[in-house]
Amino acid sequence: MHPERRALLRHMFDAAIASAQPAVCIPRHLPDPPRGRLIVVGAGKASAAMARAVEDNWPGPLSGLVVTRYGYAVPCERIEIIEAAHPVPDAAGMHAAERMLERVGALSKDDLVLCLISGGGSSLLPLPAAGLTLKLKQAVNRGLLA
């Protein structure tokens, strides 16, 4: 490939990646502050970076919990970051899903839930329905991946 074309393509690729970073995308989509609390929940490989962008740009108090893939955590002060397995779910993700449900279970009509979902969320929040087990979900997931 011609060096000038390669450089142009690389520049376009870098610009696309930079424009998709949570620190760039999230701020303009934040909702107005609620009368009550803001609770942030989320899952996915980019959810911790998105949580950090919310923290950096939210004008008031907030709390929350997001689950991301092992090795993808980003330091946050008010939103708890939990790491779990991807693409095959594990017990850490299941426990994170249980805790997330507890956090949103006692909300009032004045509270707001901000949900941050990115790729990998289904593996990172593997709360089995009644009658199913995590082992079964793992087996099905491994089968689908094969």
Side-chain angles (χ1 to χ4, degrees):
M1 180 181 291
H2 193 276
E4 289 178 12
R5 288 183 183 165
R6 183 177 187 83
L8 174 62
L9 289 173
R10 183 62 201 209
H11 177 74
M12 291 169 54
F13 175 79
D14 291 343
I17 295 297
S19 70
Q21 294 303 306
V24 174
C25 297
I26 295 291
R28 68 178 175 261
H29 295 290
L30 289 174
D32 293 331
R35 290 195 306 212
R37 301 173 295 162
L38 175 69
I39 307 296
V40 178
V41 296
K45 293 173 283 195
S47 64
M50 291 189 292
R52 178 58 186 259
V54 171
E55 278 194 354
D56 288 346
N57 292 280
W58 189 253
L62 63 89
S63 65
L65 183 150
V66 302
V67 59
T68 191
R69 183 179 184 172
Y70 290 115
Y72 283 58
V74 174
C76 288
E77 294 177 18
R78 299 173 286 168
I79 300 170
E80 181 180 359
I81 308 299
I82 296 175
E83 293 179 306
H86 177 278
V88 177
D90 68 1
M94 186 176 76
H95 296 307
E98 292 168 341
R99 291 187 54 215
M100 199 174 288
L101 285 175
E102 289 173 9
R103 286 196 181 214
V104 299
L107 298 174
S108 77
K109 64 182 175 88
D110 292 328
D111 296 331
L112 177 66
V113 175
L114 179 60
C115 189
L116 307 172
I117 301 291
S118 66
S122 61
S123 172
L124 295 165
L125 288 178
L127 189 59
L132 300 177
T133 65
L134 178 60
K135 266 190 158 166
L136 178 60
K137 287 191 88 158
Q138 290 169 324
V140 168
N141 193 289
R142 284 186 183 101
L144 291 170
L145 288 169

